[in-house]
């Protein structure tokens, strides 16, 4: 694996796990990477921490992510089904510490 690449793991709804290879030197967010890989992430606000449609639930590696900013927390807090491990993928800038991160795309519970 090249120095500027990491692997993150995406758990699908059926329990299968995909591995995504992500560059860490392009300033991309995890949301941008998910969209580029055609995962069902709406990201309607374009990464401004204003829509929460890029929410992911972190399964492994939560402690390697940076602190939640006030903006991210404020947006997450609007989700009725927020989990303690939920984060906004648009606020997670890909970096070497995220190698091995495992998560699933947050599934909004209606009603
Ligand atoms: S893309 Fe809108 S909150 Fe992340």
């Amino acid at each position: 694996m090249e120095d500027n690449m990491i692997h993150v793991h995406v758990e699908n709804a059926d329990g299968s796990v995909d591995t995504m290879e992500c560059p860490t030197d392009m300033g991309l967010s995890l949301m941008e990477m998910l969209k580029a890989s055609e995962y069902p992430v709406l990201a309607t606000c374009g990464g401004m921490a204003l829509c929460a449609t890029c929410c992911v639930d972190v399964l492994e590696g939560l402690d390697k992510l940076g602190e939640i900013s006030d903006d991210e927390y404020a947006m997450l807090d609007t989700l009725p089904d927020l989990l303690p491990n939920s984060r906004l993928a648009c606020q997670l800038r890909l970096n070497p510490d995220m190698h091995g991160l495992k998560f699933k795309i947050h599934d909004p519970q209606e009603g």
Side-chain angles (χ1 to χ4, degrees):
M1 193 170 63
E2 295 171 46
D3 285 352
N4 56 351
M5 294 298 254
I6 59 169
H7 288 162
V8 302
H9 310 287
V10 191
E11 187 175 295
N12 299 302
D14 65 2
S16 63
V17 177
D18 297 334
T19 296
M20 226 174 22
E21 193 167 76
C22 310
T24 55
D25 57 354
M26 292 175 65
L28 292 174
S29 69
L30 183 60
M31 173 278 278
E32 289 166 320
M33 198 68 215
L34 286 168
K35 277 190 87 78
S37 304
E38 300 188 351
Y39 282 96
V41 174
L42 289 177
T44 44
C45 79
M48 308 286 287
L50 290 173
C51 71
T53 58
C54 68
C55 186
V56 296
D57 300 329
V58 179
L59 303 172
E60 288 173 25
L62 189 61
D63 56 331
K64 295 185 192 159
L65 302 177
E67 294 280 309
I68 295 188
S69 69
D70 290 348
D71 285 349
E72 182 180 357
Y73 184 76
M75 195 63 237
L76 282 168
D77 202 36
T78 66
L79 293 173
D81 52 359
L82 177 70
L83 299 173
N85 56 340
S86 297
R87 296 293 300 259
L88 295 180
C90 70
Q91 301 302 301
L92 300 175
R93 195 68 48 198
L94 292 166
N95 70 70
D97 288 344
M98 287 163 69
H99 180 63
L101 188 75
K102 185 175 174 187
F103 59 91
K104 61 182 177 185
I105 293 169
H106 186 77
D107 182 20
Q109 306 295 320
E110 301 293 342

